[in-house]
Amino acid sequence: MSKGAVLRLSALSLLWGSVFLWIKISGYAFSPVEMVFVRLVLGAGVLLTIGMAKGQGFPRDKKVLGHMAVAAFLGNAVPWLLFAEGERTGSSNIAGIVSGTGPVWTLGAAVLLGSEKRLGAARGWGMLIGLLGVVLVAAPWSAGTHASTSSIICFVLGAISFGSSFAYVGRFLAGRGIPVFMLAGGQLAIAAVMTLVAVPFIGLEPVEWRTDSVVALIILGVVCTGFAVLLNTIIITKDGAAAAATVIYLMTVVSVVLGAVFLDEPIGWTVLLGTAAVLAATALLRRKPAPAPASRDAGAAPAPQVGTAPAAGAK
């Protein structure tokens, strides 16, 4: 791998691995809905501006827009709200580890949608090991656990929703020739509208104007959501999808390290084993099963690549 590829992968891993740190700091001043709405608007603004500068047009087909709305709901509005809510009482490193189980839920959703016909032994074990990783980081047997039950539920549900969006995009939006920045930016914009509708009901809280929270939210929206998608696109174009997929491993580790260094979050044996289990599960889930001896469905939709980042950015 070239030096340029290593630098690009390292930068993207740092950006997406730091998302959970910025969510935690933003949460000191903003409610989850306020935070997610601003993040979506900033991220959408960056991506749509890049798309228009490249001469890309926004999709107008009603069916495509409907699929984008579902993807926005599953991949942005719901999981980002759940992770922001979970980090109110849970640590950022646990959020990062649980989010790493996204490929488990992607594969499960792909099977349900019919995009994936066969699991294979390796990926079956990967799903089980990924679930074991969640149990280890949750550590329900420990009275002094650093994550509340409600936060773990939020993280798991968020990972399920986000993972399902991979499969949904792969089944209904991938390969349709939609310009990448308009697809990603449009998805974020639709999710912003969804979140805005929810603000009056669950998001209106007094804002404590803290400099660290405001800066964290700007970084979260502009850099970690907007420009990170641009960098991910460059990596896929120059280095290949397989290289881009390694980010899922690195960002999990980055989130644990940043939480420990900047937020003084504990790293016990359950966190270390849970991280190792999630990383092992992700590696196993990337293994393709051997082709079935019988004829395959010629018209089946291509399966989404487990472990690659979806169009609209990180968690």
Side-chain angles (χ1 to χ4, degrees), residues 167-248:
Y168 190 89
V169 170
R171 178 69 175 83
F172 296 108
L173 289 171
R176 290 178 176 263
I178 306 171
V180 62
F181 291 108
M182 287 301 176
L183 173 59
Q187 186 175 317
L188 292 179
I190 293 171
V193 173
M194 294 177 177
T195 307
L196 180 62
V197 172
V199 168
F201 302 99
I202 59 175
L204 287 178
E205 296 182 8
V207 174
E208 181 183 348
W209 292 103
R210 296 175 43 137
T211 301
D212 56 351
S213 295
V214 172
V215 171
L217 186 51
I218 293 173
I219 294 173
L220 183 61
V222 175
V223 182
C224 297
T225 303
F227 285 113
V229 173
L230 173 61
L231 180 57
N232 184 57
T233 303
I234 293 172
I235 290 173
I236 292 173
T237 302
K238 289 190 174 183
D239 310 311
T246 61
V247 173
I248 199 79

Side-chain angles (χ1 to χ4, degrees), residues 18-30 35 83-93 146 151 155 210 212-213 216 220 263 265:
S18 68
V19 161
F20 308 98
L21 171 68
W22 303 126
I23 289 175
K24 189 72 174 181
I25 298 173
S26 298
Y28 297 155
F30 301 96
M35 180 199 312
F83 273 97
E85 179 63 35
E87 287 201 44
R88 282 184 151 184
T89 56
S91 60
S92 70
N93 59 9
H146 37 274
S151 69
F155 296 154
R210 296 175 43 137
D212 56 351
S213 295
L220 183 61
L263 299 175
E265 294 175 345

